Amino acid sequence: MNLVMTVLLLAVLASAALCVFGLLLVQGEGEELKKMTELYESGVEVRAELVSLVPFGTNGYASAVYEWQSTEGSGRHQTGVNAGHAHVVGHSYPLVFNPHNTRRVHLGTKVAVRRERKRRQDSVRNARRMALWALAGGALAAVGLIISP
């Protein structure tokens, strides 16, 4: 086996790995895009109060618990945050939640949800593009392997 065939074989293997990675990204980012789209279309923006901030570990992380009340529903959301002066117990922060599924929550405003949705759309588009380019490169390398003497 000569150097050209080795390079073509490595190109086929690398493109297969990139294609699988791109498809995994499309699946994961697609799920997040679906959540952001749902929040963007039917989410309600409320002010949530930080009721608990419990530090854990030695890296400056904390467990934060937010509660909110609104006419569409009330709820409680627990998440991990960087412990610091940005989070103060008793202060209120913007939060968008889905009244049909209160587990779907995004800390931030509707504008932040729209930006996050746009970012997810771009990520899905770029992951698809990467998978297609990897597939095309792998196909070319495979053709090169087939026709090489």
Side-chain angles (χ1 to χ4, degrees), residues 44-71:
V44 177
E45 185 175 337
V46 294
R47 298 296 290 180
E49 183 179 344
L50 179 59
V51 293
S52 172
L53 189 64
V54 179
F56 62 87
T58 58
N59 294 335
Y61 295 111
S63 174
V65 178
Y66 297 90
E67 288 184 347
W68 70 89
Q69 301 282 336
S70 74
T71 57

Side-chain angles (χ1 to χ4, degrees), residues 14-132:
S15 68
L18 271 175
C19 189
V20 167
F21 180 66
L23 292 175
L24 288 173
L25 277 177
V26 166
Q27 182 182 8
E29 289 292 321
E31 289 290 325
E32 290 298 317
L33 174 62
K34 191 169 120 181
K35 290 177 187 175
M36 284 298 137
T37 301
E38 185 179 309
L39 277 176
Y40 179 69
E41 291 173 352
S42 62
V44 177
E45 185 175 337
V46 294
R47 298 296 290 180
E49 183 179 344
L50 179 59
V51 293
S52 172
L53 189 64
V54 179
F56 62 87
T58 58
N59 294 335
Y61 295 111
S63 174
V65 178
Y66 297 90
E67 288 184 347
W68 70 89
Q69 301 282 336
S70 74
T71 57
E72 289 83 8
S74 62
R76 186 178 183 107
H77 177 65
Q78 182 173 356
T79 186
V81 296
N82 287 328
H85 57 275
H87 299 279
V88 180
V89 175
H91 284 194
S92 62
Y93 300 93
L95 180 133
V96 178
F97 77 100
N98 185 349
H100 306 295
N101 183 2
T102 57
R103 294 183 62 150
R104 293 268 166 97
V105 172
H106 181 76
L107 291 171
T109 61
K110 288 279 272 195
V111 173
V113 169
R114 183 172 45 94
R115 271 192 233 125
E116 182 69 18
R117 180 174 168 259
K118 173 77 168 96
R119 191 182 72 77
R120 297 285 181 180
Q121 282 176 333
D122 292 343
S123 295
V124 168
R125 186 178 308 119
N126 289 335
R128 281 184 187 146
R129 192 175 296 147
M130 180 180 71
L132 286 174

